[in-house]
Amino acid sequence: MDAPTYSSKQVAEMLGLPPKSIASALKQDSYTGAEVWALRSQLGAYPPPLGRRKQLFLNFKGGTGKTSLSTSYAWRLAELGYNVLLVDLDSQGHATKCLGYEGEDFDKTLLNVLVRKAPMGEVIQKSSLPNLHFVPSNLTMSTVDLALMPMAGREFKLRNALKEVEGQYDVIVFDAPPSFGLLNLNALMAANDLFVPVLADFLSFHGLKLLFETVQSLEEDLNHVLDHVFIVVNSFNATFKLAKEALEALQTHYPEYLLPTIIRQCTKFAQASSEGRPVFVADPSSKGATDIEALIQNVLPRLRANAAPGSDSGAQQAG
């Protein structure tokens, strides 16, 4: 994927400043991500800290659009000035592809860290945004669960491995495969926040029940309590009666977890993912991009409420 460019209006929006207030600094018609970052540094326009969040996108049911959502979410957080690490946990490498890369092009994945004890820094790659890094995945990751099985402290391997680098990032986003195994257990044990993308259909309820039972068992057996659980309705089509009924059921049974922001069905969203581009690059004015932006603006105040007073921002260390 070619490095994205941004108009002066988009740059002002990303910096969170009125265009008129930085008009003298905007001397170009378009800016690359690196140039936006340099301008952010020049103006000191960093976003409020979030307190080092580790966030997992997971649903045991497949086909919920989890990877498109998680990668676009991570990309947009980086555009807004946060320093982000996206960790691809799926052996299919779809999150890696959504950033415009092929997992097979990388010699090392998280397998090298968790099983072969390579330093986390050796597997982290740079994206076309200076403050968005990623850990790629490919088919070699399919053996991770089996390799972890005989290890002592196997549930904590990912959490411990991240200690080396987590101070460099405001947000670490995990994109998980739609299954339950040791790798996803590791991700749950490492995470502060859980995002559960669901479709507005009644098949989603079974997956949610199983996931919440798993989260409860983590609290009871491993003493790990998530700060937030967010259910995100994805690919919603309001013209379908069944979708409306399923949404009402979700609102009835999971009101404390269900986010008010709904991600509408959007062909641009699916097309962007298939082309290896986040929706904010493919079409920032699309319904998908608009809805993810709304989701982020809904979630950020809750995350900031958890940030320790005076905590710093890893975003300022990017490069």
Side-chain angles (χ1 to χ4, degrees):
M1 181 182 71
D2 295 333
T5 57
Y6 301 96
S7 68
S8 297
K9 181 180 178 182
Q10 288 176 305
V11 170
E13 179 189 62
M14 289 160 60
L15 297 180
L17 299 170
K20 290 182 179 179
S21 70
I22 58 172
S24 60
L26 298 175
K27 299 174 181 178
Q28 302 171 202
D29 293 330
S30 64
Y31 291 79
T32 65
E35 288 170 336
V36 174
W37 187 255
L39 193 59
R40 186 182 294 280
S41 178
Q42 174 188 331
L43 298 172
Y46 297 103
L50 298 177
R52 314 293 189 195
R53 311 305 300 174
K54 293 187 284 291
Q55 303 184 317
L56 172 62
F57 282 72
L58 172 66
N59 192 326
F60 294 150
K61 180 182 181 297
T64 60
K66 168 187 56 59
T67 299
S68 297
L69 187 59
S70 64
T71 51
S72 291
Y73 171 88
W75 182 275
R76 185 56 177 169
L77 284 181
E79 286 188 334
L80 294 175
Y82 291 105
N83 201 15
V84 181
L85 175 65
L86 175 65
V87 182
D88 191 348
L89 300 176
D90 195 333
S91 61
Q92 296 184 79
H94 286 168
T96 304
K97 290 177 182 177
C98 283
L99 291 182
Y101 302 90
E102 292 295 331
E104 290 72 22
D105 293 338
F106 299 97
D107 295 329
K108 294 184 178 181
T109 67
L110 201 60
L111 173 76
N112 298 80
V113 176
L114 301 183
V115 178
R116 299 170 188 166
K117 300 183 180 179
M120 180 64 77
E122 287 187 4
V123 301
I124 292 175
Q125 307 293 329
K126 294 183 178 181
S127 78
S128 54
L129 290 182
N131 55 316
L132 174 62
H133 298 168
F134 68 100
V135 174
S137 182
N138 54 41
L139 285 175
T140 62
M141 283 286 288
S142 61
T143 63
V144 168
D145 276 359
L146 190 61
L148 288 173
M149 188 71 69
M151 293 185 177
R154 58 194 181 188
E155 302 93 345
F156 307 101
K157 292 293 184 182
L158 179 57
R159 185 164 75 182
N160 291 336
L162 287 168
K163 290 178 181 178
E164 174 194 339
V165 300
E166 61 188 0
Q168 302 171 29
Y169 300 100
D170 296 299
V171 185
I172 298 175
V173 176
F174 306 108
D175 180 70
S179 61
F180 183 72
L182 278 174
L183 185 59
N184 278 349
L185 178 58
N186 265 264
L188 279 165
M189 291 302 298
N192 309 114
D193 311 310
L194 174 63
F195 286 78
V196 188
V198 300
L199 301 181
D201 61 42
F202 287 96
L203 290 175
S204 294
F205 281 92
H206 178 68
L208 278 177
K209 183 173 181 292
L210 180 59
L211 185 55
F212 274 93
E213 287 174 352
T214 302
V215 169
Q216 185 176 355
S217 70
L218 292 183
E219 294 179 1
E220 295 171 353
D221 300 336
L222 295 172
N223 196 31
H224 180 63
V225 180
L226 293 161
D227 291 335
H228 301 283
V229 177
F230 301 118
I231 297 175
V232 184
V233 177
N234 196 19
S235 195
F236 183 73
N237 189 332
T239 64
F240 293 162
K241 180 182 177 184
L242 188 61
K244 290 182 179 179
E245 292 174 350
L247 177 59
E248 290 173 1
L250 286 166
Q251 291 168 336
T252 299
H253 293 283
Y254 297 100
E256 68 271 41
Y257 303 112
L258 186 64
L259 283 174
T261 306
I262 292 172
I263 312 299
R264 293 167 289 177
Q265 193 175 68
C266 176
T267 56
K268 292 282 188 180
F269 206 170
Q271 181 182 347
S273 298
S274 68
E275 294 173 351
R277 296 190 296 167
V279 70
F280 288 97
V281 175
D283 189 349
S285 63
S286 65
K287 289 188 293 184
T290 301
D291 292 345
I292 292 173
E293 175 71 20
L295 180 149
I296 288 173
Q297 296 308 322
N298 184 283
V299 166
L300 285 184
R302 307 190 197 189
L303 302 181
R304 288 170 184 151
N306 285 102
S311 62
D312 63 340
S313 173
Q316 298 180 43
Q317 304 172 26

